[in-house]
Amino acid sequence: QVQLVESGGGLVQTGDSLRLSCAASGRALSGYAMGWFRQAPGKEREFVAGISWSDYGSGYANSVKGRFTISRDNAKNTVYLQMNSLKPEDTAVYVCAAASSIETIQVGGYAYLGQGTQVTVSS
């Protein structure tokens, strides 16, 4: 079994940056793609970013492209989400996920899911 634990959320102002981390424990995530979803109050959970295991290919939602960067450290079983130029509409609970491919994460699928970390961006 895999546990995903997110950290790094908080309250920031418009234009600020945050870096989220997701640490996996229980077993290595060898071969798994990793990614992030977010869910704002009253809205459906949506894909934010994903990164593959092998070639470090990545994909992003249009709403965050150019502002967010996903990365991973396989030796540490950790994935990161660097969020720059934050906007109030980025306010949500950010949830880490592991899946067989980026494509799976992009359509909302996952094998493992974290509990989430709150990001609040004030205007």
Side-chain angles (χ1 to χ4, degrees):
Q1 188 69 350
V2 172
Q3 292 81 42
L4 303 176
V5 179
E6 302 93 337
S7 61
L11 172 63
V12 296
Q13 295 185 332
T14 298
D16 285 350
S17 298
L18 274 178
R19 189 176 83 151
L20 306 182
S21 299
C22 171
S25 62
R27 56 165 283 187
L29 289 173
S30 177
Y32 281 92
M34 300 290 294
W36 292 89
F37 299 119
R38 68 185 181 186
Q39 186 164 18
K43 294 189 176 181
E44 296 285 321
R45 185 167 61 206
E46 64 176 358
F47 166 77
V48 176
I51 186 167
S52 67
W53 166 263
S54 56
D55 62 2
Y56 290 79
S58 59
Y60 297 90
N62 287 335
S63 59
V64 306
K65 205 171 289 185
R67 299 188 298 123
F68 290 11
T69 302
I70 190 170
S71 61
R72 66 189 296 167
D73 185 334
N74 289 341
K76 296 182 178 179
N77 273 340
T78 301
V79 64
Y80 306 96
L81 186 67
Q82 177 66 43
M83 305 185 296
N84 298 329
S85 302
L86 283 161
K87 305 175 182 180
E89 51 263 44
D90 294 318
T91 295
V93 175
Y94 284 71
V95 182
C96 178
S100 57
S101 68
I102 293 179
E103 290 77 14
T104 298
I105 299 175
Q106 284 175 322
V107 297
Y110 58 88
Y112 302 102
L113 200 66
Q115 294 294 312
T117 184
Q118 177 70 46
V119 172
T120 303
V121 185
S122 64
S123 57

